[in-house]
């Protein structure tokens, strides 16, 4: 059958272990692209991705391949996003394939995301081919890394393939292995249509483009199809594959991978993980594992200059067209005026969106400190979900306050274990497990409050391990915690955008640190500024900025004119990201003061 000659696979790896480079090399060795196209890393399209070296948008490529056995195959390479925030998308991409190439940098060894990705692949019953990359480098130690994979992950490495994605060593053998060792897809072309959406995006000409994997049945251009989760029907107006350019195709059947357009107007009508079926002859059971992507981290985004409000609103609308996981709604802040409460999958997702707003849409933003979503049971029997600390009810109205926890695995060389344990304890973590991956590498498992990670966890993890620790986490559950709302007051007025929720035991330390940070970031004024941290009406920390009397230019003694101009320009720059609070100007750093407490 046709299916016998199809192989659907993805490449999974820890960040920087060479996933994109290997994908490019496979496309080149199979003749799909030339070495020249490759320079732009075909699979990584967006600028931001390239700069950050991460893959955000999954994209699949169909690769025709004549194997050494003389037969023609179709290899579908399904790309997966490479960051912890996109774990659900990764799992759906993996659900679209039968096997994966597990790329491990032979100079580095197994890292946290190596393991996290392997778990996801195993959950999807994948056949896994271990690939030891970067063997061109003198520091590559293939045997040591094989032992790590065998002992640490429990994967047989007798057929592991050493390669250099950079020079191409071993890549042709690897492609043969994909054909020989990965199973072909199963599925029944005569059963009712059942297909898995594993990626979708908005295109201004085509509407929503849906990438999907055929499980059962057939799909043809002109067919009436139905999305399982919404029950909405559409007509397939375009059907095709990326190879790597668009190739229109009449029909796709069980086992194949492709895209369709069906005049779907909004991304939320074609969600990743949803099942596509036929309108007239629907499948009875959807594909398992569908979840709605839910924002986990929230922050307020405000235009620095209120005249940009409309533009910000339009930009957010545009962003959401292409990102169903991103949410926003209008909010007002006494301190910041009109803006939006925005929800993200995680911190990286948040940074990417903020960056795009500033870069692509050229809006100067004030972002408030990110917050997780708290669950509150109130005295009147209600359960509230709170994503903005200033909205937390008064202590008298709260019966129980819950916060989200994550399960985390940290991989670290054994000499830094002490530092990491100390960090996790300080962050209110509960140790679950600790084991040796090899003689020198340790895996530590913790349950941690998500809020503690949102603050300075990543930086501290890296600095506590000289950059060698890697981590991965997933959400576990809500636990009740003794949390309080800490308000920051400037000249007596609480600044709503600076409110944070912290653990009671840390409130004092926290309040002092933030007050000090504000003292340093708020420019001195012509009058005295008093900064206070309080819990309810109780002040727990106080700082003071003495007034300044003179214009800054006075410092230049009227002398050097270029120096004077520079100073004025600098002042203007500083103004850009300021917000007036009463008569006090608050710079952006003030709103992030809670984030970095050094
Ligand atoms: P993310 O997209 O961030 O997940 O990274 P990735 O896993 O796709 O890694 P990428 O392909 O971007 O490679 C990371 C770095 O390793 C790049 O600087 C590559 O040039 C380099 N690299 C990849 N493969 C090899 C290899 O076989 N040998 C050497 N020397 N360098 C390699």
């Amino acid at each position: 059958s046709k299916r016998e000659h199809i192989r659907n696979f993805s490449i999974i790896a820890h960040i920087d272990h060479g996933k994109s480079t290997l994908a490019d090399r496979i496309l080149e060795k199979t003749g799909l692209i030339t070495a020249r196209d490759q320079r732009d890393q075909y699979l990584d399209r967006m600028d931001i991705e390239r700069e950050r070296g991460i893959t955000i948008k999954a994209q699949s490529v169909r690769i025709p391949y004549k194997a050494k056995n003389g037969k023609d195959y179709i290899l579908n390479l399904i790309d997966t996003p490479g960051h912890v925030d996109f774990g659900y998308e990764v799992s759906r991409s993996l659900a679209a394939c039968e096997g994966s190439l597990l790329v491990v940098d032979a100079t580095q060894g197994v890292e946290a995301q190596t393991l996290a990705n392997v778990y996801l692949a195993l959950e999807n019953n994948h056949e896994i081919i271990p690939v030891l990359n970067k063997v061109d480098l003198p520091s590559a130690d293939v045997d040591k890394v094989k032992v790590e994979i065998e002992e640490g992950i429990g994967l047989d490495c007798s057929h592991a393939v050493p390669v250099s994605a950079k020079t191409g060593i071993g890549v042709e053998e690897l492609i043969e292995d994909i054909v020989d060792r990965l199973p072909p897809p199963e599925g029944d072309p005569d059963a009712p249509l059942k297909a898995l959406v594993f990626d979708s995006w908005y295109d201004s000409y085509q509407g929503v483009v849906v990438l999907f994997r055929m499980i059962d049945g057939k799909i043809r251009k002109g067919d009436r199809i139905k999305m399982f989760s919404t029950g909405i029907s559409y007509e397939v107006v375009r059907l095709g594959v990326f190879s790597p350019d668009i190739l229109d195709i009449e029909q796709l059947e069980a086992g194949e991978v492709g895209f369709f357009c069906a005049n779907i107007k909004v991304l939320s009508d074609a969600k990743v993980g949803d099942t596509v079926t036929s309108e007239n002859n629907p499948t009875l059971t959807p594909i398992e594992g569908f979840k709605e992507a839910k924002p986990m981290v929230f922050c307020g985004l405000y235009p620095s200059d209120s005249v940009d409000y409309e533009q910000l609103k339009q930009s957010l609308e545009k962003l959401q067209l292409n990102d169903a996981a991103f949410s926003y709604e209008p909010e007002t802040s006494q301190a910041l005026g009109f803006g939006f409460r925005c929800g993200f999958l995680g911190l990286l997702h948040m940074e990417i969106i903020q960056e795009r707003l500033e870069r692509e849409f050229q809006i100067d933003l004030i972002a408030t400190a990110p917050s997780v979503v708290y669950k509150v049971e109130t005295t009147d029997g209600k359960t509230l979900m709170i994503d903005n600390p200033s909205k937390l009810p008064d202590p008298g109205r709260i019966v129980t306050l819950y916060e989200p926890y994550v399960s985390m695995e940290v991989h670290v060389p054994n000499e830094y274990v002490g530092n990491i344990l100390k960090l996790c304890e300080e962050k209110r973590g509960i140790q679950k497990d600790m084991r040796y991956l090899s003689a020198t590498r340790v895996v530590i498992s913790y349950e941690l409050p998500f809020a503690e990670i949102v603050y300075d966890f990543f930086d501290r993890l890296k600095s506590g391990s000289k950059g060698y620790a890697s981590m991965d986490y997933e959400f576990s559950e809500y636990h009740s915690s003794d949390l309080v709302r800490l308000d920051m007051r400037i000249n007596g007025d609480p600044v709503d955008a600076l409110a944070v929720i912290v653990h009671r035991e840390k409130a004092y330390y926290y309040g002092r640190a933030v007050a000090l940070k504000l003292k340093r970031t708020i420019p001195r004024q012509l009058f005295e500024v008093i900064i206070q941290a309080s819990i309810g009406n109780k002040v727990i920390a106080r700082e003071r900025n003495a007034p300044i009397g003179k214009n800054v230019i006075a410092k230049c003694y009227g002398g050097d004119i270029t120096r004077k101009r520079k100073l004025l320009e600098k002042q203007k720059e500083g103004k850009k990201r300021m917000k007036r609070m009463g008569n006090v100007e608050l710079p952006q750093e003030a709103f992030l003061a809670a984030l970095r407490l050094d």
Side-chain angles (χ1 to χ4, degrees), residues 15-21 53 55 133-134 136-137 164-166:
I15 248 164
D16 278 346
H17 282 201
K19 187 179 74 174
S20 312
T21 312
T55 310
N133 190 28
K134 308 200 185 179
D136 59 295
L137 295 175
S164 166
K166 187 170 175 186

Side-chain angles (χ1 to χ4, degrees), residues 491 515-516 518-525 527-531 543-548:
N491 285 347
L516 195 63
L518 289 176
K519 173 187 161 78
R520 294 201 191 116
T521 51
I522 295 174
R524 288 172 64 192
Q525 318 276 330
F527 45 86
E528 179 182 55
V529 175
I530 304 287
I531 300 151
E543 295 288 342
R544 168 182 181 272
N545 264 357
I548 46 168

Side-chain angles (χ1 to χ4, degrees), residues 432-453:
K432 291 292 173 186
D433 189 29
M434 181 156 113
R435 62 196 174 87
Y436 276 81
L437 200 59
S438 67
T440 54
R441 292 190 63 84
V442 181
V443 183
I444 308 168
S445 307
Y446 263 89
E447 289 271 311
L448 285 153
F450 184 41
E452 296 283 351
I453 300 175

